[in-house]
Amino acid sequence: MTDKTDISTANTMRERSGESRIKLWLLLRANRILVSIVLTSAVFVAFVFAVAVLDPPFSQQIESGDMIDTMFSTMITVIVTGTTLVVTIGQLVLSQENGPLGDQRERMSSSMDFRDYTEELIGSPSPADPSEFLRQIIGITAQRTTALRESIDKNDNENLREEVDEFAESVTGNADTVRDQLENAQFGSFDVLFAALNFNYSWKIFQVERLANEYEESLNEEERGLLDDLKTALSLFGPAREHIKTLYFQWALIDLSQMILYAAVPALAVAGIMVGIVDAGTFPGSTLGLDHIILVVGGAFAVTLVPFMLFVSYVLRIVTIAKRTLAIEPLILRKSQR
C-alpha cells in the first residue's frame, strides 16, 4: 500500500503549505484597509524613531535647508504619477470586458455552454450565486467519491480497497470543510475565493489517474467508469474556480482604483500644505522628548504614502493568489503536505 501521506492531504491551504497562520492572514485574509493602516503606521513609527535618534538633529536640518519643500514636492509628483499609473493599469485589465457585439456574443455563448455542462453534471440548474455554484460542484464530487468507494469495497484487491478508502476519506473531508466555508459567503469579499483555494483538486485528479493506471487490471468496467466520472467532476472545478478568481481580480482592481483615488486627494492636500506653510518654526515645542515638528513631518509623510500602501496591500493578495493558482491542470508547483 502507498504511504498514507502520499494519498491524503490536509483540508486547508495553510495546513498543506505548512506556512505561518499569521503570514497567510496578512497576505490573504486580513482586510486590505487594515493592512494599509498597519504598513502606514509602521512607516510613521520608523520615521519618527530614526530622525529622533540619528545625528544631526532633525530641527537643525530643517533650519539649514529646504528639506521639507524638497521632500513633499517630490511626494506630490509621486502621488500624481503613481495614481495615474495604477488607475490606467486597472482600466487596461478591465478593457477585456469591452468589445464588439461579436466578441460579447462569443463570451456569452461560452459561459452558457459551461453552465449547461454544469447543469448536466449536478442534475439541476446551475446556481447564479458564485459560492453556491462552487458548492454544487464540490458536492457532486463528494457524491461520486462516495459511490466510487462503495463500489471498490466489493473489489478483491485489498490494496486497492485500502487506498480508495483513504483517498475517499480525504476527498469527502476536504469537500465538507470547503462547502461549510462557502456557505453564505458573499462574492466581493475574499471569502469565496479563499474557500475555493482550500480545495486542492489538482492533487485529487492526479490520484484518480494514478489509481486508474496502477490498478488497471483489478478494475472492472463499472469501477473505471466511476473513476472517470469523478475525474470529470474534479476537472470541472478547475475552470470554475479560475473564472471566479478572474472575476475577483477585476473586482479587487476596481476597489483598488477607487481607494487610491480617494486617498490621493487628501495626500495631495497634505503635501501641498507642507510645501506652502510648514517650516522649522511652525510647530515649536516637544512632547515626551519628541519635537512636534518631527511628529508633524512624520505624520504628513505617512499620509502621503497611503495610496502606495493601499497598492501594496491589494497587490500582495493578488500576487499571492496568482502564485498559488498558476497551474490549472494536475501540476503541483509548490511543496505541499501530502
Side-chain angles (χ1 to χ4, degrees):
M1 176 182 171
T2 305
D3 183 73
K4 181 176 181 179
T5 56
D6 289 335
I7 299 175
S8 60
T9 60
N11 290 331
T12 65
M13 177 179 57
R14 185 192 67 79
E15 293 172 322
R16 292 193 295 268
S17 65
E19 293 181 345
S20 165
R21 182 187 297 272
I22 295 177
K23 176 183 176 181
L24 281 183
W25 182 80
L26 286 172
L27 290 175
L28 296 175
R29 294 287 284 169
N31 182 280
R32 295 299 93 187
I33 296 178
L34 175 62
V35 173
S36 302
I37 293 173
V38 170
L39 293 174
T40 303
S41 300
V43 170
F44 170 74
V45 171
F47 179 90
V48 170
F49 177 79
V51 300
V53 301
L54 296 178
D55 289 327
F58 188 66
S59 57
Q60 293 182 12
Q61 297 184 57
I62 296 176
E63 292 174 353
S64 61
D66 59 351
M67 187 189 67
I68 291 181
D69 288 351
T70 302
M71 180 178 178
F72 287 97
S73 295
T74 303
M75 291 307 298
I76 290 175
T77 302
V78 170
I79 293 169
V80 173
T81 304
T83 301
T84 303
L85 179 61
V86 170
V87 173
T88 301
I89 292 174
Q91 294 302 313
L92 286 174
V93 172
L94 295 175
S95 64
Q96 62 181 316
E97 300 302 310
N98 303 318
L101 179 60
D103 291 347
Q104 299 299 330
R105 179 68 182 88
E106 184 176 350
R107 286 182 58 206
M108 184 67 174
S109 178
S110 298
S111 297
M112 294 308 297
D113 287 344
F114 187 81
R115 290 183 64 83
D116 290 342
Y117 187 65
T118 305
E119 183 175 343
E120 293 179 7
L121 180 78
I122 64 179
S124 62
S126 300
D129 181 72
S131 60
E132 186 60 28
F133 184 70
L134 294 176
R135 286 187 83 248
Q136 290 291 336
I137 296 176
I138 295 174
I140 198 66
T141 299
Q143 292 177 19
R144 293 187 174 186
T145 301
T146 301
L148 173 66
R149 175 163 56 181
E150 292 174 352
S151 179
I152 295 295
D153 280 344
K154 305 172 185 177
N155 195 286
D156 295 333
N157 190 314
E158 182 179 357
N159 287 339
L160 173 60
R161 293 198 307 271
E162 291 179 357
E163 288 201 31
V164 169
D165 186 67
E166 185 178 318
F167 173 65
E169 190 71 25
S170 176
V171 173
T172 54
N174 191 196
D176 290 342
T177 297
V178 175
R179 280 170 56 83
D180 288 343
Q181 293 172 345
L182 285 170
E183 189 172 8
N184 298 323
Q186 296 296 317
F187 185 81
S189 69
F190 184 59
D191 294 341
V192 175
L193 185 55
F194 184 77
L197 292 174
N198 284 330
F199 193 69
N200 59 335
Y201 71 95
S202 295
W203 179 247
K204 294 172 174 56
I205 292 176
F206 166 73
Q207 287 295 338
V208 170
E209 293 175 339
R210 183 190 64 80
L211 289 169
N213 178 73
E214 186 172 333
Y215 295 101
E216 182 178 5
E217 296 182 357
S218 300
L219 295 168
N220 58 39
E221 184 176 350
E222 178 188 356
E223 292 163 346
R224 293 192 191 95
L226 290 171
L227 281 169
D228 288 340
D229 289 344
L230 177 56
K231 182 179 177 180
T232 298
L234 289 168
S235 299
L236 189 66
F237 182 82
R241 190 186 73 177
E242 290 304 300
H243 180 55
I244 300 300
K245 181 185 78 173
T246 300
L247 292 176
Y248 174 78
F249 280 178
Q250 294 172 342
W251 186 288
L253 285 171
I254 293 172
D255 281 348
L256 174 60
S257 297
Q258 290 177 325
M259 291 290 183
I260 288 180
L261 288 173
Y262 296 152
V265 175
L268 283 172
V270 169
I273 292 171
M274 295 299 292
V275 171
I277 299 176
V278 177
D279 58 23
T282 306
F283 296 96
S286 64
T287 299
L288 299 178
L290 293 173
D291 292 340
H292 290 162
I293 190 63
I294 293 177
L295 297 175
V296 170
V297 173
F301 180 59
V303 170
T304 60
L305 285 177
V306 169
F308 176 72
M309 293 307 180
L310 284 167
F311 175 77
V312 170
S313 66
Y314 272 85
V315 169
L316 276 175
R317 174 184 279 176
I318 290 173
V319 298
T320 301
I321 297 170
K323 185 177 181 180
R324 293 174 180 274
T325 57
L326 284 175
I328 192 172
E329 68 274 17
L331 292 177
I332 309 299
L333 304 183
R334 57 183 289 118
K335 183 178 180 180
S336 60
Q337 178 184 340
R338 296 173 179 173

